[in-house]
Amino acid sequence: MTRRATDGQQRAFFLWTIAGTSLIVAAAAGAAVVEVFQGTADAGTFVWGMIGIAALLESLVLFAVGLRLRHQYLNQVQSYASRGDYLPDDGSRRPRMPLLGDGQATQNIQHQNPGGN
């Protein structure tokens, strides 16, 4: 279960990487896209402008799909099996449960004594 959730998160990041690359292509074709919309593009500029428009649309779709995958990952119910093992005892006599997620993270919270030593 954890492996599947992590794969979903990695797919979202992968899609966002491709979307960013498509945005770079769309930005490179920016002037051609403007000429296509103005109607002043010649044949070569028209083709390059259509590539830019397609890259822009592709990046928007990939970004939306990545958001959907990330949303599914964040709303997935975590179980005891997907949380990982309990963390080793540090002598504080407090239970140290693993954080939600893939079980690889550790707690970084410093518990301070309210009495103030």
Side-chain angles (χ1 to χ4, degrees):
M1 175 119 163
T2 301
R3 180 74 178 158
R4 190 173 140 251
T6 303
D7 287 342
Q9 184 179 13
Q10 289 173 348
R11 277 184 277 158
F13 292 144
F14 179 70
L15 289 176
W16 288 339
T17 302
I18 295 172
T21 306
S22 295
L23 277 178
I24 292 171
V25 172
V33 170
V34 170
E35 288 187 28
V36 167
F37 282 126
Q38 289 177 347
T40 60
D42 59 0
T45 307
F46 181 78
V47 170
W48 187 236
M50 294 313 273
I51 291 172
I53 292 170
L56 181 62
L57 292 175
E58 176 191 27
S59 66
L60 290 174
V61 168
L62 290 176
F63 183 72
V65 171
L67 277 178
R68 179 73 177 148
L69 286 173
R70 179 75 173 150
H71 180 71
Q72 287 176 352
Y73 171 76
L74 291 176
N75 287 333
Q76 179 180 351
V77 176
Q78 300 292 328
S79 66
Y80 284 109
S82 67
R83 288 177 76 165
D85 296 329
Y86 278 81
L87 301 175
D89 186 15
D90 63 353
S92 65
R93 302 188 71 179
R94 286 189 311 269
R96 303 219 350 134
M97 292 181 258
L99 298 175
L100 293 177
D102 60 1
Q104 300 298 317
T106 58
Q107 294 177 347
N108 292 324
I109 300 173
Q110 298 293 331
H111 297 284
Q112 298 178 3
N113 186 359
N117 283 357

